[in-house]
Amino acid sequence: MIKLLRYLEPYQWLLVLILILAVGQSAANLYLPNLMADIVNKGIASYNTGFIWQTGLIMTVVAVGGTVCAIIGVYFSSRVATGMCKTLRDEIFNKVANFSLHEFDVISTASLITRTTNDTAQIQQVMVMVLGLLITAPLTLVVGVIMALKQDVGLSWILVTIIPVLVTVILLLLVKAVPLFTVMQVKLDKLNLILDENLTGVRVVRAFNRIKHEEKKFDLANLDVTNVAIKVNQLVASMMPVMMLLINVSSVAIIWFGSKRVAGGTLQIGAMFAFLQYAAQILFSLLMVAMMFIMIPRAEASANRINEILDMEPEIKDPKSTKKVSAKKGYIQFDKVTFSYHNAEKPALSDISFSCTPGKVTAIIGGTGSGKSTLVNLIPRFYDVQKGRIMIDGTDVREISQDDLRAKIGFVPQKAILFSGTINNNLRYGKENATESEIKQAAKIAQASEFISKMPNGFESMISQGGTNVSGGQMQRLSIARALVRKPEIYVFDDTFSALDFITDAKLRASLKAETKEATVIIVAQRVSTVIDADQIIVLDDGKIVGIGKHKELMKSCEVYRGIVSSQLSAAEIEGENK
Ligand code: ADP
Ligand code: MG
């Protein structure tokens, strides 16, 4: 929590103002009972109407002044708290935007969302409260006691007895409630995770008739959150009546013992009333302090979760001094690369060496889970290798700034992702200033022109969230067009063509050839027909290269490759190929 206070810095002057207003508000509140005692003692007792009017007028002014201070104070406190939380959300978002994929493996998306929304809201709530009470409560407490004693020392034993009781009650509740707050946020994470999974996986849930099952799962998580929330709220809610009881008991005690002293002539009736009001103010501010102590641990739990993100050092960072690589080339070299995912038992890739040159097509083929996606994810440095190195244009990828590195690469991921917005916006994603004709050209090469022109608004048609209003193959083609618009030096297609029918696949690759004549192209594929005419084919098996060469060479030398080919092409086709 303390660490997050640095985000208050821009509001220094507002904070000073809030402080002054708080002092004004407390001063007014504390002065009023005093004036009232005067009216009773000096005005009413001696039938001095002038004095009553005069003091009454002062009371009105003081009361109005105090209220105005309170209103302005709350206004600015809210401004500061909401402003601070906006900054906080921005900071989290910026941090997360710079996460490498490893961090996403560690903290779930659901948790990131809870932290950006719910946790910051907790902080905001407590900030409003703290800003409102930080000055007023302690001030009222201390000055209230002094003022009460000035009215009458004889009744002070009532305060002396009641305050420790009150503090004990508060402490007891705190000890019970605080651990629950952390639990609460974790359960919320869980709930969000289930919700998130269900929304993205809605088709699977339907297709497998798992709606009931998912409902039950959600119900359980929901109940979990509810139970904790009930416990917490019961505790917090039980505080109020206990406090009110204590305050009322003390009021009765003050009137009881006070009126005895008034009857005895040792205490003026006005002083008794003033004492009564001071006691109420003191106990009430104690109550508020208690509330604050309950809210703070809750915010503390949230603050810790936020700090966890803000303190996270992305595994992949730009080096202090980045090397500039020559603007245009596209040489890629893998040099004895070994890579394992965190917590993985065995490396996903081991001892990978090969190189790609501009103008040539490198195809990567292998069974599922053989490490093809992992391999191409290393090129834009989504992950860092453990052993060996990857060189782009002669420079280690870890020595190039991520921006420079990625500007060289047109990456088409295995899972096509589009953003909600128009097709035009989506294609411009990698190059905002692309011209109309560049966009059209890219769409044409990617074999997307036809279906785009059939859409109601052509290039201005809207893609819905997650791209659900276009088919998988169409999404893939848009994702290819998006990479083409960029005109990069290196193209990476991660299993992009498998979602296309054979004819589109062939057409697309033919038109790609012309477009990517000078570029380095890496194609990950499952179909032999996609890779057959590549300049070099890399055969991956279980994270290792088991063959590298042209189709014909591999047919002779590589057992795994032969296996893949024979499983896909008919004997006659293989025969024809070999001739
Ligand atoms: P392919 O693309 O060839 O089907 P991948 O490169 O996606 O295979 O996966 C290779 C291996 O790495 C698989 O065994 C998979 O379980 C593992 N793997 C992939 N992604 C991750 C990840 N984010 N964390 C841990 N292991 C992963
Ligand atoms: Mg893959």
Side-chain angles (χ1 to χ4, degrees):
M1 187 78 192
I2 303 284
K3 259 166 102 180
L4 292 181
L5 293 185
R6 65 174 183 268
Y7 292 106
L8 284 177
E9 217 166 285
Y11 303 105
Q12 293 173 16
W13 294 112
L14 269 187
L15 287 176
V16 172
L17 186 66
I18 291 170
L19 199 140
I20 295 171
L21 288 169
V23 173
Q25 184 198 344
S26 328
N29 283 344
L30 288 166
Y31 194 44
L32 280 175
N34 208 10
L35 287 173
M36 195 199 65
D38 278 352
I39 289 189
V40 176
N41 293 345
K42 297 187 194 140
I44 298 177
S46 52
Y47 305 104
N48 187 343
T49 332
F51 183 82
I52 294 176
W53 273 110
Q54 194 192 340
T55 319
L57 198 68
I58 299 174
M59 275 182 84
T60 315
V61 172
V62 171
V64 170
T67 313
V68 169
C69 282
I71 292 172
I72 304 178
V74 169
Y75 176 74
F76 283 119
S77 306
S78 316
R79 288 278 298 256
V80 170
T82 43
M84 173 188 171
C85 279
K86 179 191 172 289
T87 323
L88 214 51
R89 281 192 297 267
D90 276 343
E91 290 281 319
I92 299 176
F93 187 83
N94 291 345
K95 191 79 189 189
V96 171
N98 285 310
F99 270 7
S100 58
L101 295 191
H102 166 59
E103 279 82 47
F104 286 109
D105 291 345
V106 175
I107 298 187
S108 70
T109 326
S111 179
L112 284 176
I113 294 175
T114 328
R115 289 175 207 222
T116 325
T117 52
N118 186 290
D119 282 310
T120 48
Q122 302 287 352
I123 303 272
Q124 181 172 321
Q125 226 179 343
V126 85
M127 279 314 290
V128 176
M129 185 142 176
V130 168
L131 287 176
L133 292 175
L134 196 62
I135 304 297
T136 32
L139 202 68
T140 311
L141 212 62
V142 175
V143 181
V145 170
I146 296 173
M147 297 290 272
L149 292 185
K150 248 179 74 185
Q151 294 295 341
D152 186 45
V153 183
L155 287 173
S156 57
W157 65 266
I158 297 176
L159 285 179
V160 174
T161 8
I162 213 94
I163 289 177
V165 180
L166 212 80
V167 171
T168 319
V169 174
I170 294 170
L171 282 181
L172 273 178
L173 285 171
L174 266 184
V175 170
K176 284 193 126 182
V178 170
L180 290 176
F181 291 127
T182 320
V183 176
M184 178 93 181
Q185 293 310 93
V186 175
K187 306 245 175 210
L188 256 183
D189 268 0
K190 180 87 190 297
L191 192 71
N192 273 345
L193 179 74
I194 294 176
L195 189 62
D196 184 42
E197 272 184 355
N198 264 281
L199 293 179
T200 33
V202 66
R203 286 173 187 74
V204 182
V205 176
R206 299 273 153 88
F208 286 86
N209 276 330
R210 297 288 275 180
I211 299 177
K212 279 270 165 312
H213 169 84
E214 291 296 325
E215 271 175 8
K216 218 181 269 163
K217 212 160 81 179
F218 187 81
D219 248 12
L220 272 180
N222 197 358
L223 195 70
D224 232 14
V225 174
T226 313
N227 283 340
V228 181
I230 288 176
K231 258 193 222 154
V232 169
N233 284 316
Q234 271 173 346
L235 282 173
V236 176
S238 67
M239 203 165 87
M240 260 303 178
V242 174
M243 292 294 189
M244 288 321 284
L245 182 74
L246 285 173
I247 292 176
N248 287 333
V249 166
S250 58
S251 300
V252 172
I254 289 168
I255 295 174
W256 179 270
F257 294 102
S259 41
K260 278 190 176 167
R261 306 237 337 251
V262 171
T266 45
L267 181 67
Q268 282 186 303
I269 187 150
M272 188 188 84
F273 277 125
F275 193 95
L276 194 63
Q277 288 201 3
Y278 283 126
Q281 279 188 21
I282 292 165
L283 297 181
F284 204 73
S285 49
L286 253 181
L287 181 72
M288 285 300 145
V289 171
M291 286 301 264
M292 205 158 80
F293 273 112
I294 285 194
M295 299 281 284
I296 286 177
R298 173 145 205 207
E300 184 73 39
S302 288
N304 284 340
R305 286 158 52 89
I306 292 172
N307 276 324
E308 200 185 334
I309 295 181
L310 295 181
D311 291 346
M312 225 176 208
E313 274 299 321
E315 191 185 50
I316 299 210
K317 290 185 295 210
D318 282 343
K320 287 219 173 60
S321 61
T322 54
K323 283 192 187 157
K324 276 277 165 224
V325 279
S326 47
K328 201 92 184 167
K329 267 189 296 186
Y331 289 91
I332 304 173
Q333 194 190 352
F334 274 63
D335 185 11
K336 297 210 178 72
V337 167
T338 296
F339 169 78
S340 16
Y341 288 103
H342 290 259
N343 311 324
E345 286 165 29
K346 62 186 183 65
L349 292 172
S350 36
D351 206 27
I352 303 285
S353 298
F354 67 92
S355 49
C356 311
T357 47
K360 297 272 187 316
V361 175
T362 301
I364 300 172
I365 196 165
T368 40
S370 56
K372 304 182 298 291
S373 295
T374 309
L375 193 153
V376 291
N377 279 336
L378 294 180
I379 301 173
R381 206 181 163 210
F382 289 156
Y383 293 96
D384 266 343
V385 302
Q386 275 94 31
K387 265 192 236 152
R389 58 192 179 153
I390 297 167
M391 318 272 277
I392 301 271
D393 294 335
T395 315
D396 194 313
V397 290
R398 285 166 289 195
E399 286 167 0
I400 312 172
S401 82
Q402 293 171 63
D403 281 348
D404 286 352
L405 172 66
R406 289 168 191 164
K408 286 172 169 290
I409 303 169
F411 195 88
V412 187
Q414 179 162 14
K415 190 165 176 275
I417 305 276
L418 298 178
F419 294 90
S420 44
T422 63
I423 291 189
N424 205 339
N425 289 343
N426 268 288
L427 296 190
R428 270 171 211 281
Y429 201 71
K431 189 178 174 192
E432 272 170 49
N433 54 2
T435 63
E436 195 85 358
S437 67
E438 280 178 308
I439 299 280
K440 290 233 162 81
Q441 178 69 9
K444 199 170 151 210
I445 299 166
Q447 309 297 313
S449 307
E450 205 189 313
F451 79 81
I452 293 176
S453 63
K454 278 190 195 140
M455 291 180 86
N457 297 317
F459 280 88
E460 294 307 317
S461 308
M462 291 303 279
I463 297 287
S464 55
Q465 185 198 350
T468 41
N469 61 344
V470 281
S471 79
Q474 290 172 340
M475 212 147 89
Q476 230 10 312
R477 276 179 271 172
L478 290 176
S479 156
I480 293 171
R482 174 175 58 196
L484 288 170
V485 169
R486 241 183 153 182
K487 291 210 179 2
E489 300 156 45
I490 299 168
Y491 287 92
V492 177
F493 300 101
D494 185 0
D495 227 341
T496 323
F497 303 109
S498 316
L500 307 177
D501 58 88
F502 280 90
I503 300 174
T504 316
D505 179 9
K507 270 200 209 155
L508 205 162
R509 272 183 301 118
S511 55
L512 258 184
K513 223 175 212 167
E515 177 69 15
T516 59
K517 224 181 281 161
E518 270 140 44
T520 312
V521 179
I522 297 181
I523 297 178
V524 172
Q526 313 227 8
R527 283 191 208 143
V528 177
S529 60
T530 314
V531 306
I532 208 157
D533 41 0
D535 297 292
Q536 76 174 339
I537 302 169
I538 295 171
V539 187
L540 272 186
D541 186 32
D542 206 11
K544 293 181 199 69
I545 294 185
V546 291
I548 186 163
K550 289 202 190 242
H551 172 72
K552 280 196 180 133
E553 298 159 20
L554 287 173
M555 280 307 280
K556 288 196 193 95
S557 62
C558 183
E559 182 66 46
V560 179
Y561 187 69
R562 263 203 302 274
I564 297 172
V565 173
S566 63
S567 71
Q568 290 183 17
L569 301 183
S570 64
E573 279 174 305
I574 298 174
E575 210 39 47
E577 281 297 327
N578 281 343
K579 261 178 204 158

Short mmCIF file of all heavy atoms in Angstrom, two decimals, residues 52 271 275 295 367 418 526 563:
data_model
loop_
_atom_site.label_atom_id
_atom_site.label_comp_id
_atom_site.label_asym_id
_atom_site.label_seq_id
_atom_site.Cartn_x
_atom_site.Cartn_y
_atom_site.Cartn_z
N ILE A 52 -28.43 34.75 23.24
CA ILE A 52 -28.87 33.53 22.55
C ILE A 52 -28.84 33.74 21.05
O ILE A 52 -28.31 32.93 20.29
CB ILE A 52 -30.30 33.13 23.00
CG1 ILE A 52 -30.28 32.73 24.47
CG2 ILE A 52 -30.80 31.95 22.16
CD1 ILE A 52 -31.63 32.41 25.05
N ALA A 271 -22.82 22.25 30.22
CA ALA A 271 -21.57 21.50 30.17
C ALA A 271 -21.86 20.03 29.99
O ALA A 271 -21.15 19.31 29.27
CB ALA A 271 -20.76 21.74 31.44
N PHE A 275 -20.61 17.77 26.96
CA PHE A 275 -19.83 16.56 27.22
C PHE A 275 -20.43 15.38 26.47
O PHE A 275 -19.73 14.57 25.87
CB PHE A 275 -19.81 16.27 28.73
CG PHE A 275 -18.81 15.24 29.11
CD1 PHE A 275 -17.54 15.60 29.55
CD2 PHE A 275 -19.11 13.89 29.03
CE1 PHE A 275 -16.61 14.66 29.88
CE2 PHE A 275 -18.17 12.93 29.35
CZ PHE A 275 -16.91 13.31 29.79
N MET A 295 -10.73 -1.51 6.30
CA MET A 295 -10.59 -1.30 4.86
C MET A 295 -9.14 -1.41 4.43
O MET A 295 -8.83 -1.92 3.36
CB MET A 295 -11.11 0.08 4.46
CG MET A 295 -12.56 0.29 4.75
SD MET A 295 -13.59 -0.47 3.52
CE MET A 295 -13.42 0.68 2.18
N GLY A 367 5.42 -33.84 -36.50
CA GLY A 367 4.16 -34.18 -35.84
C GLY A 367 3.73 -33.09 -34.87
O GLY A 367 4.51 -32.18 -34.57
N LEU A 418 -7.88 -11.79 -34.59
CA LEU A 418 -8.24 -10.49 -35.16
C LEU A 418 -8.79 -9.64 -34.03
O LEU A 418 -9.25 -10.15 -33.02
CB LEU A 418 -9.30 -10.66 -36.26
CG LEU A 418 -8.88 -11.49 -37.48
CD1 LEU A 418 -10.04 -11.62 -38.44
CD2 LEU A 418 -7.69 -10.86 -38.18
N GLN A 526 1.91 -28.98 -41.91
CA GLN A 526 1.66 -30.39 -41.62
C GLN A 526 1.54 -31.16 -42.93
O GLN A 526 1.80 -32.35 -42.98
CB GLN A 526 0.34 -30.53 -40.88
CG GLN A 526 0.18 -29.56 -39.75
CD GLN A 526 -0.31 -30.25 -38.51
OE1 GLN A 526 -0.39 -31.47 -38.47
NE2 GLN A 526 -0.64 -29.46 -37.50
N GLY A 563 8.06 -41.37 -43.54
CA GLY A 563 6.84 -41.77 -42.84
C GLY A 563 5.72 -40.76 -43.03
O GLY A 563 4.58 -41.10 -43.34
#
